[in-house]
């Protein structure tokens, strides 16, 4: 942690403080959209611990934006939700026109590359710089709550700790750090039921990759797991081809662990083991090399806000609409079960459900909203709302709501 380092503490410490209407914590896909939309109506600060925007989408080497389109037999003409998510998908298409909407089984996704999405996020935030203060490499470390209202958030950067006094806070940290530190009520899935996390590595030097490679990778790993030569969870490893003919991505499923540092180390050694095994067993991998590894394991779920409404599995499968519905979503419930691997449950084809505004608002903290994968939803419903396209639209709505709340 930066603030534990005496070198950083000796710099222009304390006494610095900032005021704002809306404070957004976390610059993942939800936080970027929340901060841009909040800044279009209010003085906003975005705090992000990394030195880049995008969060999990960048760290986990994602390649497809899910949750943008309606499912059905026809190729969707545009995104299901308007607004910033449409600005982002149009900007991505302008940067790489060859990456067009793709059908995968029963759903549609938008392929993208990391460089493009980071550049789109930087341009979007840059365009709002008159009202948007971007604090990268800055952690939110504590929260002061007085009579169920957040009065200040203490953050820590290379220059030391300082306090931010916001009117409204939007928690877009993915893991719900502000929810937890403010005393907001929340729910958490029990360890044994929590979804697999993921760890990705990129391989170069592959030969003759075809559709069967994605079948062979889990098949041979399952055989090896059945012989107890590797842990059983490695049989859920997936393979997708990269943009170049000799490039591919392997994603390992990683079980929950108490200690995130230990889990990262374990995932790295699992990745090396899987790659070594594949180079012996699958001819396409024989002369391949690992070119890039995720810096850390990416969680599919953490704690979730207990909001004024909690979205359920039935809401999704019945394509429920709400009077305060603010975001449409047709992505299935996608659960990475620790025993069975991925399981999918779909809303009706050609239809969508709505996420009500109440799922973004804390039940007990008056000036707290949240967006992204920590909104108020059950464990199963989180399996649908957590995808990037949906997080972006929910982020936009959280930013808009936070700006409106700060105006009172
Ligand atoms: C293995 C895996 C595979 C997935 N595959 C896909 C896919 O192919 N397509 C898809 O659309 N979705 C996919 N998802 C889902 C999707 O990536 C995430 O759910 C989504 O990106 C979450 O966005 P977010 O903004 O809510 O959170 P995050 O991306 O987690 O962003 C939170 C941000 O908050 C910052 N932060 C956290 N704590 C603090 C703090 N104390 N102070 C300051 N900053 C802080 C973090 O650094 C991070 O940047 C996948 C998820 C996983 C785990």
């Amino acid at each position: 942690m930066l603030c534990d380092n005496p070198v950083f503490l000796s710099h222009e410490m304390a006494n610095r403080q900032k005021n704002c209407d809306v404070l957004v914590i976390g610059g993942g896909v939800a936080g970027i959209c929340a901060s841009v939309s909040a800044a279009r109506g209010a003085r906003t600060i975005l705090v992000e611990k990394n030195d880049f925007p995008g969060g999990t989408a960048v760290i986990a080497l994602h390649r497809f934006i899910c949750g943008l389109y309606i499912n059905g037999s026809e190729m969707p003409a545009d995104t299901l939700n308007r607004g910033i998510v449409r600005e982002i998908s149009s900007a991505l298409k302008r940067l790489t026109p060859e990456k067009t909407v793709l059908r995968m089984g029963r759903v549609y996704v938008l392929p993208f590359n990391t460089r493009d999405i980071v550049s789109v996020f930087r341009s979007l935030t840059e365009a709002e710089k008159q009202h948007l203060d971007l604090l990268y490499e800055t952690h939110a470390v504590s929260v002061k709550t007085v009579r169920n209202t957040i009065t200040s958030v203490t953050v820590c950067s290379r220059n030391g700790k300082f306090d931010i006094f916001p009117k409204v806070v939007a928690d877009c940290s993915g893991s719900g750090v502000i929810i937890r530190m403010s005393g907001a009520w929340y729910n958490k899935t029990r360890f044994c039921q929590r979804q697999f996390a993921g760890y990705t590595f990129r391989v170069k030097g592959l030969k003759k990759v075809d559709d069967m490679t994605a079948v062979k990778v889990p098949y041979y790993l399952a055989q090896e797991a059945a012989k107890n030569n590797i842990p059983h969870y490695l049989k859920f490893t997936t393979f997708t081809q990269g943009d170049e003919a000799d490039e591919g991505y392997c994603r390992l499923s990683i079980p929950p662990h108490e200690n995130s540092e230990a889990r990262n180390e374990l995932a790295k050694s699992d990745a090396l083991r899987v790659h070594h095994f594949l180079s012996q067993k699958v001819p396409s991998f024989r002369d391949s090399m690992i070119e890039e590894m995720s810096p850390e394991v990416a969680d599919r779920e953490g704690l979730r806000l207990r909001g004024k409404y909690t979205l359920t599995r039935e809401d999704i499968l019945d394509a429920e609409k709400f009077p305060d519905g603010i975001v449409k979503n047709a992505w299935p419930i996608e659960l990475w079960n620790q025993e069975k691997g991925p399981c999918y449950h779909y809303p009706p084809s050609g239809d969508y459900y709505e996420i009500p505004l109440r799922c973004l608002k804390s039940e007990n903290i008056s000036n707290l909203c949240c967006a992204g994968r920590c909104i108020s939803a059950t464990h199963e419903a989180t399996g649908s709302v957590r995808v990037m396209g949906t997080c972006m639209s929910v982020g936009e709505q959280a930013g808009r709501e936070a700006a409106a709340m700060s105006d009172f």
Side-chain angles (χ1 to χ4, degrees):
M1 171 73 74
L2 290 174
C3 289
D4 292 337
N5 186 328
V7 175
F8 295 131
L9 287 178
S10 66
H11 287 290
E12 46 164 303
M13 274 290 298
N15 294 342
R16 291 196 299 138
Q17 65 175 56
K18 282 175 179 278
N19 298 300
C20 63
D21 296 322
V22 177
L23 172 61
V24 177
I25 302 295
V29 293
I32 291 296
C33 296
S35 58
V36 167
S37 84
R40 289 176 181 175
R43 288 173 311 134
T44 303
I45 296 177
L46 170 67
V47 167
E48 164 55 49
K49 68 180 179 184
N50 292 320
D51 62 357
F52 56 86
T56 302
V58 172
I59 285 167
L61 316 181
H62 285 0
R63 311 200 49 247
F64 306 102
I65 305 183
C66 309
L68 287 178
Y69 308 107
I70 196 140
N71 309 322
S73 49
E74 301 212 347
M75 185 68 86
D78 215 332
T79 56
L80 188 51
N81 293 289
R82 295 164 185 272
I84 295 176
V85 79
R86 204 169 273 185
E87 292 176 39
I88 293 170
S89 55
S90 304
L92 288 172
K93 283 184 200 161
R94 277 196 300 277
L95 286 171
T96 319
E98 65 275 18
K99 288 197 181 286
T100 52
V101 184
L102 200 69
R103 186 175 181 129
M104 275 188 176
R106 291 164 65 175
V107 295
Y108 295 91
V109 298
L110 183 67
F112 73 99
N113 65 48
T114 307
R115 192 190 53 242
D116 287 351
I117 207 160
V118 168
S119 128
V120 169
F121 285 162
R122 288 204 192 279
S123 325
L124 270 174
T125 46
E126 181 68 14
E128 305 305 329
K129 69 178 180 201
Q130 205 187 339
H131 296 119
L132 178 57
D133 197 356
L134 298 170
L135 305 180
Y136 282 105
E137 292 187 275
T138 305
H139 289 233
V141 291
S142 64
V143 175
K144 192 167 176 200
T145 307
V146 178
R147 285 191 290 277
N148 289 339
T149 302
I150 297 173
T151 53
S152 66
V153 175
T154 304
V155 300
C156 179
S157 72
R158 286 184 171 270
N159 297 325
K161 278 186 188 177
F162 59 96
D163 294 326
I164 301 179
F165 293 87
K167 290 185 184 163
V168 180
V169 181
D171 186 342
C172 300
S173 66
S175 50
V177 291
I178 301 298
I179 297 172
R180 184 171 42 79
M181 294 192 295
S182 67
W185 295 333
Y186 62 84
N187 293 307
K188 209 167 177 180
T189 306
R190 281 189 298 150
F191 231 54
C192 57
Q193 287 177 338
R194 215 170 289 167
Q195 295 192 61
F196 274 131
Y199 187 77
T200 312
F201 63 91
R202 183 164 65 88
V203 182
K204 287 281 280 178
L206 295 166
K207 293 203 180 78
K208 296 187 180 159
V209 174
D210 57 22
D211 291 349
M212 284 310 288
T213 315
V215 179
K216 285 178 190 164
V217 167
Y219 174 77
Y220 287 121
L221 287 167
Q223 283 193 332
E224 200 63 357
K227 291 186 223 154
N228 285 328
N229 289 340
I230 53 170
H232 96 280
Y233 53 83
L234 294 179
K235 70 181 176 194
F236 299 119
T237 301
T238 59
F239 173 84
T240 37
Q241 188 160 9
D243 289 343
E244 315 288 334
D246 72 335
E247 188 185 52
Y249 291 77
C250 289
R251 178 165 285 159
L252 275 49
S253 287
I254 305 292
H257 198 293
E258 299 280 4
N259 179 326
S260 57
E261 290 302 318
R263 186 176 65 159
N264 288 337
E265 288 311 310
L266 204 67
K268 271 184 206 159
S269 74
D270 279 341
L272 296 173
R273 194 169 173 185
V274 164
H275 181 254
H276 178 72
F277 171 75
L278 294 174
S279 7
Q280 311 280 306
K281 196 76 191 174
V282 184
S284 301
F285 277 76
R286 190 154 299 142
D287 301 314
S288 69
M289 287 167 314
I290 295 184
E291 183 95 348
E292 184 180 9
M293 287 171 122
S294 284
E296 61 192 57
V297 173
D299 277 313
R300 287 196 167 83
E301 64 176 304
L303 63 82
R304 309 179 301 273
L305 181 76
R306 180 137 42 108
K308 293 178 190 288
Y309 182 80
T310 300
L311 195 77
T312 66
R313 170 193 166 95
E314 290 69 34
D315 292 335
I316 294 172
L317 300 185
D318 296 345
E320 195 65 49
K321 314 290 188 293
F322 296 91
D324 62 338
I326 37 140
V327 169
K328 301 172 184 171
N329 192 18
W331 193 256
I333 297 174
E334 176 191 339
L335 290 175
W336 284 71
N337 183 285
Q338 288 182 46
E339 292 306 317
K340 298 185 230 158
C343 308
Y344 298 87
H345 304 279
Y346 293 81
S349 178
D351 206 349
Y352 60 85
Y353 69 92
E354 288 179 343
I355 300 174
L357 178 61
R358 285 165 293 158
C359 291
L360 282 51
K361 299 181 85 165
S362 166
E363 204 180 342
N364 66 318
I365 301 292
S366 62
N367 60 343
L368 175 64
C369 300
C370 79
R373 63 188 167 89
C374 53
I375 65 167
S376 183
T378 61
H379 158 71
E380 288 187 305
T382 301
S384 169
V385 299
R386 66 181 176 79
V387 288
M388 289 172 63
T390 317
C391 287
M392 290 181 199
S393 295
V394 172
E396 174 175 7
Q397 296 301 329
R400 180 172 301 164
E401 177 64 13
M405 282 161 70
S406 74
D407 208 20
F408 279 103

